[in-house]
Amino acid sequence: TINNMAYLLMDMGELQEARPLLEEGLRGRRETLGDRHPITLESIISMASLLKKMGELQEARLLSDDVMRVMKETLGDRHP
């Protein structure tokens, strides 16, 4: 899948090449599963991880904060 290729590129250190693939995969998951689906949230976390590796810490932080907020809303405060 497109996400698997993006993860492989990330592992190879080819971050610029991985980014558009992760973005496309995330768009697809948002369109088909919605923003609050656990698989979509995993894709957002992957995007935040990539952005962190690329030094885009502010954008990574925003995505991470959004995921945490949605997870708390859907799973509750006591979920690990």
Side-chain angles (χ1 to χ4, degrees), residues 2-58:
I2 195 165
N3 288 315
N4 290 337
M5 178 58 81
Y7 301 144
L8 175 62
L9 290 170
M10 285 174 64
D11 289 343
M12 295 172 61
E14 298 179 22
L15 306 179
Q16 294 294 335
E17 292 83 3
R19 185 174 184 165
L21 297 179
L22 276 183
E23 289 172 339
E24 183 178 340
L26 178 55
R27 264 192 313 276
R29 287 180 172 175
R30 280 184 161 149
E31 290 171 4
T32 57
L33 302 173
D35 286 335
R36 300 172 79 83
H37 193 280
I39 294 174
T40 304
L41 295 175
E42 287 177 15
S43 290
I44 296 169
I45 291 167
S46 295
M47 179 60 70
S49 176
L50 174 67
L51 293 170
K52 179 183 170 191
K53 289 180 183 183
M54 295 176 73
E56 297 183 29
L57 302 179
Q58 200 65 11

Side-chain angles (χ1 to χ4, degrees), residues 44-45 48-49 57-70:
I44 296 169
I45 291 167
S49 176
L57 302 179
Q58 200 65 11
E59 192 172 348
R61 173 70 188 266
L62 291 174
L63 288 177
S64 296
D65 287 347
D66 285 345
V67 169
M68 289 288 290
R69 179 186 49 77
V70 171

